[in-house]
Amino acid sequence: MAKKALITGITGQDGSYLAEFLLSKGYEVYGMVRRSSIDKFERIEHIREKIRLVQGDLMDQSSLDEAVKGIMPDEIYNLAAQSFVPTSWNQPTLTGEFTGLGTTRVLEAIRRIKPDTRFYQASSSEMFGKVREVPQNELTPFHPRSPYGVAKVYGHYITVNYRESYDIFACSGILFNHESPRRGLEFVTRKITNGVARIKHGLATELRLGNLDAKRDWGFAGDYVESMWMMLQQPAPDDYVVATGDTHTVREFVELAFDRAGLDWKKHVIIDPAFFRPAEVELLVGDPSKAKLVLGWKPRVSFEELVRMMVDADIERLKCA
């Protein structure tokens, strides 16, 4: 009989790639969606007929209970979150409720209804924040620098607590930045590639950015979702850093993106203080040794390939618009 997986946040970047991957493995895939006045299903439109959508909300315990009761899933992947760091400063309480307490509600539904469900929690490199060591691994202390990072730390430790207290098979993937053509336009990588495409097509002349010296460990989302599945196939639950182990500045991303389109970035990029964070996270670079050793996971798409893929997709998208 086919395994059943429930994905919260299925309409997001990671959710859409994970749904594709699980379908390729023969799973029955269920996606949780919130009731909203605007349904945004463009990332999963191409697989809409192959998945089943259920209504639910991380803010509402009874809806999560009903979803687990109705599906009785073998695996739950909790990818839903208020995940945009700048928004977490404007909506810190909502971010805590959704990203932090929302995780607890999913775990409660598992504990009460189907305790043998295997659970994946999407933890984040933003939990490291003001880093204590470089690179960061599973034992590096957390020092989050945003309400989003703080909420993710709560979600991470509540997952550990349910694993240790209730013997639930619960794993956290501490994923470093992972991008794709499906990344939201508000994130800096997609803002850059979309901006390049707009300039290339004559729809814009400038691109306003913040700190070009911030360094990140960027990988391809399609590679990273496979590690989530791998964690839940292990004999015992654990936490894993998922990263490339390489770091690049925002400036490097900009240079590669503009170069791909045959443009000179210095003629178009304007540094705007409005886009600097209240507390910057300067250097995030992960040590994925444990994921490589235990899971046998490694990234396939290089940084250069990722930038080219994203620029090409945005240029093509705007050509057809």
Side-chain angles (χ1 to χ4, degrees):
M1 225 169 74
K3 276 188 177 180
K4 291 190 275 193
L6 171 61
I7 303 171
T8 73
I10 195 168
T11 59
Q13 169 189 258
D14 292 10
S16 65
Y17 281 111
L18 179 61
E20 284 175 353
F21 178 76
L22 293 176
L23 286 170
S24 78
K25 292 281 182 189
Y27 278 70
E28 270 182 43
V29 178
Y30 295 79
M32 184 179 290
V33 291
R34 280 187 297 168
R35 176 109 181 85
S36 70
S37 51
I38 309 164
D39 289 329
K40 293 186 174 176
F41 295 133
E42 63 263 27
R43 292 188 184 96
I44 54 168
E45 207 55 64
H46 63 295
I47 51 170
R48 189 83 183 272
E49 302 303 311
K50 298 176 183 170
I51 60 179
R52 304 175 197 194
L53 299 179
V54 295
Q55 285 196 353
D57 195 321
L58 287 189
M59 308 280 268
D60 179 58
Q61 185 70 56
S62 63
S63 70
L64 298 173
D65 291 350
E66 285 305 309
V68 173
K69 217 176 283 178
I71 300 163
M72 297 301 277
D74 298 287
E75 298 170 2
I76 294 180
Y77 296 85
N78 184 37
L79 309 186
Q82 190 304 98
S83 61
F84 188 47
V85 173
T87 299
S88 77
W89 289 103
N90 296 329
Q91 300 180 321
T93 311
L94 178 73
T95 300
E97 276 281 350
F98 202 95
T99 307
L101 290 177
T103 306
T104 316
R105 295 185 188 105
V106 179
L107 286 162
E108 267 296 284
I110 291 172
R111 181 183 73 82
R112 297 206 299 241
I113 297 157
K114 194 173 185 294
D116 65 341
T117 300
R118 295 193 167 202
F119 176 76
Y120 171 82
Q121 166 62 7
S123 287
S124 167
S125 59
E126 288 286 334
M127 301 189 306
F128 295 119
K130 189 174 184 179
V131 299
R132 312 285 182 89
E133 60 183 2
V134 178
Q136 294 91 50
N137 64 32
E138 293 80 8
L139 300 176
T140 302
F142 299 136
H143 187 145
R145 300 266 278 173
S146 68
Y148 169 72
V150 172
K152 277 293 185 187
V153 170
Y154 178 92
H156 180 84
Y157 277 128
I158 203 71
T159 300
V160 172
N161 270 259
Y162 272 69
R163 179 168 75 217
E164 294 176 352
S165 305
Y166 301 117
D167 203 26
I168 288 171
F169 193 109
C171 298
S172 284
I174 306 172
L175 270 57
F176 279 66
N177 295 62
H178 46 289
E179 319 297 315
S180 76
R182 299 180 196 171
R183 190 59 142 150
L185 287 166
E186 69 273 22
F187 291 87
V188 69
T189 50
R190 188 70 197 292
K191 182 179 175 183
I192 292 165
T193 61
N194 182 60
V196 165
R198 286 178 58 79
I199 292 166
K200 181 73 175 172
H201 285 299
L203 301 171
T205 56
E206 66 178 42
L207 175 61
R208 291 180 171 267
L209 296 169
N211 182 11
L212 295 189
D213 295 318
K215 292 178 178 175
R216 293 291 183 274
D217 182 331
W218 278 301
F220 172 51
D223 290 345
Y224 283 40
V225 298
E226 293 187 22
S227 72
M228 303 174 181
W229 175 79
M230 287 171 162
M231 289 177 211
L232 297 196
Q233 312 317 308
Q234 299 307 306
D238 208 345
D239 306 323
Y240 300 88
V241 163
V242 178
T244 69
D246 291 321
T247 185
H248 300 274
T249 62
V250 175
R251 181 179 280 101
E252 283 177 77
F253 198 107
V254 167
E255 287 170 354
L256 276 171
F258 275 88
D259 190 53
R260 179 66 173 172
L263 298 166
D264 180 355
W265 73 274
K266 289 177 181 167
K267 292 179 179 172
H268 302 284
V269 173
I270 293 168
I271 305 301
D272 188 337
F275 294 113
F276 281 73
R277 292 184 185 182
E280 183 56 86
V281 174
E282 296 293 346
L283 174 59
L284 288 174
V285 54
D287 174 5
S289 304
K290 183 176 169 183
K292 287 180 177 177
L293 182 69
V294 180
L295 305 177
W297 177 87
K298 62 176 188 287
R300 289 192 289 263
V301 177
S302 72
F303 175 67
E304 291 75 17
E305 288 169 331
L306 174 66
V307 178
R308 288 199 294 268
M309 176 202 301
M310 291 177 68
V311 171
D312 292 351
D314 274 330
I315 288 175
E316 185 62 29
R317 182 179 56 86
L318 288 179
K319 190 165 74 180
C320 302

